[in-house]
Amino acid sequence: MRRLGIFSLLFVLALSQTGCWNRTELNEIGLIAALGIDRGEAGWIVTYQLINPSAISAGTGGATKGGGGESPVHVFSSVGPTLREAIDVSYTESPRRLYFPHADILVLGKEAASRGIQDIIDFYWRNAQLRENVNVLVASGQASEMLKQLIPPERLPGAAIANISRQTDHFNSNYPSIKMYELTRNLDAEARAAGVPQVELVGESQARLESMDQLNRTSTPAKVRITGLAVFRKDRRVGALNRNESIGISWLTGKVRISTLSVSCPGSNKETEKFSFQTISAKTNVKPRKQGDEYTMLVSVKAKGRITESNCSINLGKLSNLHAAEKGIEEVIKEHMREGWAASKRLHADLPHFADDIHRKYPKDWRSIKDQWEADGMNSIKLVLQVNVTISQTGMTQKAFKSGVR
């Protein structure tokens, strides 16, 4: 009994000596708001947008009366032959342990994207600290330069760029946002193609938004803007789509949420007479059909929306004019889809993922055309477009605000 008591006492004493041997204090952590990856002569260049807690907590992220305030972020880079080594090298400069799960955005430099992102994808999926649902964008130049730009009125530039991508996706569907797991899935599919929003610094060529002094101005000389859709074939960037081509791919892939189209007024030959149609809901259905050795893609689109602006000389409230307006909208959507598919064929990148549709319905036939799909198979596809548009609302008024409208 005495031995049992001694043993119990020693056990309790042993437990009291344990502690958190691998703990990290909050003041030792450096929160990463955004991550950028470039390629250079020395290897990988990883850029970190590190949050400055004192600026955020003290509310000094904005400009002060005496000039520039304390910057809410600190941006620095490290170089290494591999991504892991480049990050390890960062600790020769960073006084804090870098914390990556907070990062909401990954910006890829144009050179890195063009040379291939296979290593980047592999690195993201191997490391538990890196989030697979991070938003991915491609810079028109260096990713490091993009992360240095302040974006008013937001304090954290990384979060601001992520929000710009999300708002663009939600409110106009021109350049759909994409996350790391979606990018991986698209490049690993039969089509082996993906579109990634391309971000660019526009405005005065020498202007930069690296100083807090710039935020004292009511209009900054340069702005960060999404200007296109970078196209990846396999793991390499092979080009970019403009707005019309990108929205066409959105229609072909069923990614249109809210989008505004400018349509010529029915029966009008004047370039200035147009009305705006905003989609409320949209659905796309794609069915492959085989005829001999040729494939036809039947694309059916149903869209519903409202007229939000009109300077037409006719009354769109009349049923005949309303139907004519719907036909005009349908033709605009068809033209966007044709432009998107033409751009895909030009870049030999199956952005609508027709290859996956054929593979699902004709798995045996797909094996025989798989190897030549990007070179020859895509060009032989026939596109049949069926679009049905319903205008559910014409707004608070039936007529345009013009004299003599009937």
Side-chain angles (χ1 to χ4, degrees), residues 13 67 168 182 200 212 252 287 292 341-342 348 398:
L13 290 175
T168 300
E182 294 172 322
E200 183 177 353
M212 294 294 293
L252 287 170
K287 292 182 179 180
W341 178 234
H348 303 287
Q398 301 295 324

Side-chain angles (χ1 to χ4, degrees), residues 33-87:
L35 200 65
I37 299 179
D38 291 298
R39 287 293 292 268
E41 295 181 358
W44 295 99
I45 305 171
V46 183
T47 302
Y48 318 87
Q49 194 178 89
L50 187 66
I51 297 176
N52 183 357
S54 61
I56 300 297
S57 61
T60 57
T64 62
K65 293 181 180 179
E70 188 178 2
S71 175
V73 294
H74 170 59
V75 179
F76 67 101
S77 303
S78 59
V79 183
T82 64
L83 290 166
R84 181 68 262 177
E85 185 171 342
I87 292 177

